[in-house]
Amino acid sequence: MLDLTPSQTVGPFFAFGLPVDGGGDVVSAGTPGAITLHGTVRDGAGAPVPDALLEFWQAGPDGRVPTRPGSLHRDGRSFTGFARVPTDRAGDYHLRTLRPAAPAGSPHAPHLAVTVFARGLLHHLFTRVYFPNHTDANAADPLLSALDEERRATLLAVPDGGPTGPGYRFDVRMQGPGETVFLDLSTHGLAQPPAATTETPA
Amino acid sequence: MSAPQQPATQREVSVEIAAAAGAPPLPGGHPDRAYGPYRSTALRAPRQPLVVSPPSLTELAAPVFGPRDVAPLDADLTRHHPGEPLGERIIVTGRVLDGDGRPVRHQLLEIWQANAAGRYRHEGDQHPAPLDPNFTGGGRAITDDDGRYRFVTIKPGAYPWRNHHNAWRPAHIHFSLFGTAFTQRLVTQMYFPGDPLFGLDPIFQSVTDEKAQQRLVAAYDHDVTQAEWALGYTWDIVLDGAHATPPDPDGV
Ligand SMILES: [Fe+2]
């Protein structure tokens, strides 16, 4: 095993390094089945975080995890499953995408994987966006089923009509009341390699 | 928690850095998100423990990038404008590997940095140092078959920030990396050997293990240096890889 390269904060000045044009357009406007996902990132005092960067990664409506290159520069046709969106001055982000389906054999309910970067975060945070309509799959999901009601709610998108058609709100609370559930997806915390087990810290 | 009336002095922050230096390092040498000497962590580090959970099939795969995403010139930050940027021209090269030593092939690296005077091309940068019309400071590259990358740029300057009174960041280049799994995502900073600001900087010192700190520092490499042209630095990057099985492109 090689020793890992440690993480460092993304800092405040990533605006000319990471965001890309159309970073929130996983599909183009008018695509059948397109949904808007949006929300606000807030800190421990409840203040909007205007300098966060969120990345989303997901399977498509067919349950396939995309393998097509072009995740940064959209061609307007291909679904690459990846979004990168900075928050604006109000701490808001939004993206346009398709609802994911669970890949074949997945023990998890349909979800988007999310990474949160920000000044003041020395190491990014992982979380997930789940959808409330998948009642049975969510009940069987190894992560959701291990959480109490209040914490589970932080991972569920809320249908809200959306500004441009069907939409969901997913807010991120970095700290404090209603703090979003953030994940350790490494093997460090797992007693065994990932299988069907879920463990939560005592 | 109320904000202090006066910003802390370097001496006070250095005492906090020394106190935190004894903490047992986290796995991988990663910083503790609640590291106090870096003040911005106070309202942004989660208070709840992370929920340990196996990655999903989605998280075991990663976005795919290719020639459409990165142009060859993107890796030469000295050629993004008509003129040459000011400063010391450098070559930064190395390999991206996973924890098992396998090269991370054909994956995206992105960098951003201050100019030679220590100024970012960003509206939020208030440092009264000159912008360079010939330098933006962002670059991209895709690793080759061997996991290797190479950037040509200029050496960034140190710059002041407002963490505490008279706080200065050691010269660094920000790096963003993807692996073959979403769980391997890494954003970090590369530093230059022998910087006198290392001991004073809460962000560098948030990595409390000295060996792990050294993994953030590039090595001067005279074999990379090109005569009459640019100084060379080598920096290898190791991503978490304990459970990532890269798909075999040949399907064997
Ligand atoms: Fe920086």
Side-chain angles (χ1 to χ4, degrees):
Chain A
M1 282 293 290
L2 300 179
D3 290 320
L4 308 186
T5 305
S7 172
Q8 295 270 270
T9 181
V10 76
F13 300 133
F14 57 80
F16 63 88
L18 293 177
V20 288
D21 291 342
D25 301 335
V26 186
V27 292
S28 47
T31 303
I35 58 166
T36 302
L37 179 69
H38 69 111
T40 308
V41 181
R42 293 183 187 278
D43 70 11
V49 175
D51 52 4
L53 182 80
L54 273 59
E55 291 179 346
F56 297 82
W57 168 239
Q58 62 169 106
D62 56 0
R64 285 177 196 230
V65 181
T67 55
R68 187 194 292 266
S71 285
L72 279 189
H73 289 279
R74 284 74 167 78
D75 63 7
R77 302 181 304 278
S78 309
F79 179 81
T80 63
F82 178 69
R84 175 186 277 172
V85 283
T87 53
D88 63 19
R89 286 190 190 88
D92 296 336
Y93 74 90
H94 63 97
L95 56 131
R96 188 192 313 109
T97 188
L98 299 173
R99 288 183 183 85
S106 171
H108 293 94
H111 62 274
L112 278 65
V114 185
T115 322
V116 180
F117 301 94
R119 175 180 65 83
L121 256 191
L122 284 161
H123 193 181
H124 61 260
L125 292 164
F126 287 121
T127 186
R128 289 180 190 157
V129 182
Y130 286 92
F131 296 86
N133 55 309
H134 299 290
T135 317
D136 294 345
N138 287 348
D141 183 273
L143 172 63
L144 292 180
S145 60
L147 299 171
D148 66 38
E149 190 63 39
E150 190 187 336
R151 300 225 74 205
R152 180 164 57 237
T154 71
L155 300 182
L156 289 169
V158 178
D160 77 342
T164 58
Y168 292 87
R169 167 170 278 275
F170 181 80
D171 293 328
V172 176
R173 181 72 187 240
M174 297 177 74
Q175 184 193 84
E179 184 175 301
T180 301
V181 168
F182 298 109
L183 305 174
D184 181 350
L185 299 171
S186 73
T187 48
H188 308 307
L190 293 170
Q192 292 158 5
T197 59
T198 300
E199 299 173 21
T200 51
Chain B
M1 212 186 311
S2 64
Q5 300 292 314
Q6 293 260 322
T9 63
Q10 179 69 55
R11 194 175 302 273
E12 288 163 343
V13 169
S14 290
V15 168
E16 293 178 43
I17 288 173
L26 299 183
H30 292 302
D32 178 358
R33 292 180 183 83
Y35 185 75
Y38 176 27
R39 298 297 190 236
S40 300
T41 61
L43 288 173
R44 294 185 170 195
R47 294 275 165 80
Q48 303 272 350
L50 301 185
V51 175
V52 179
S53 194
S56 66
L57 292 175
T58 301
E59 288 154 347
L60 288 172
V64 182
F65 304 93
R68 189 163 81 221
D69 296 306
V70 177
L73 211 60
D74 288 355
D76 187 343
L77 286 71
T78 68
R79 293 173 66 191
H80 292 176
H81 297 274
E84 283 267 348
L86 294 170
E88 186 181 321
R89 192 183 298 112
I90 59 172
I91 297 160
V92 179
T93 186
R95 294 177 74 205
V96 184
L97 304 165
D98 69 18
D100 298 322
R102 293 176 294 204
V104 176
R105 307 152 94 192
H106 311 147
Q107 243 325 356
L108 178 69
L109 281 95
E110 296 163 288
I111 65 171
W112 66 103
Q113 62 169 91
N115 68 20
R119 178 86 187 263
Y120 283 92
R121 188 175 284 275
H122 188 286
E123 60 179 19
D125 188 349
Q126 301 298 312
H127 179 29
L131 284 168
D132 183 340
N134 290 314
F135 191 72
T136 302
R140 292 194 165 96
I142 302 262
T143 56
D144 70 9
D145 287 344
D146 209 21
R148 196 169 295 282
Y149 71 90
R150 185 177 186 273
F151 289 105
V152 178
T153 183
I154 50 99
K155 189 175 178 188
Y159 61 84
W161 60 313
R162 301 207 171 137
N163 188 70
H164 55 275
H165 178 65
N166 206 14
W168 289 77
R169 298 292 335 276
H172 60 273
I173 299 176
H174 295 265
F175 271 71
S176 164
L177 299 108
F178 290 81
T180 51
F182 198 65
T183 55
Q184 291 177 286
R185 190 80 177 85
L186 180 71
V187 165
T188 188
Q189 302 179 24
M190 184 207 91
Y191 299 86
F192 293 85
D195 198 309
L197 294 169
F198 283 158
L200 305 173
D201 177 41
I203 293 181
F204 183 80
Q205 294 294 332
S206 70
V207 175
T208 51
D209 176 48
E210 216 168 307
K211 284 192 183 128
Q213 285 179 356
Q214 288 315 306
R215 299 200 292 275
L216 295 173
V217 183
Y220 172 71
D221 188 338
H222 204 62
D223 292 332
V224 174
T225 293
Q226 290 191 3
E228 321 299 333
W229 175 249
L231 292 176
Y233 290 87
T234 300
W235 192 50
D236 291 341
I237 301 151
V238 181
L239 308 179
D240 195 357
H243 52 65
T245 308
D248 188 330
D250 303 323
V252 178

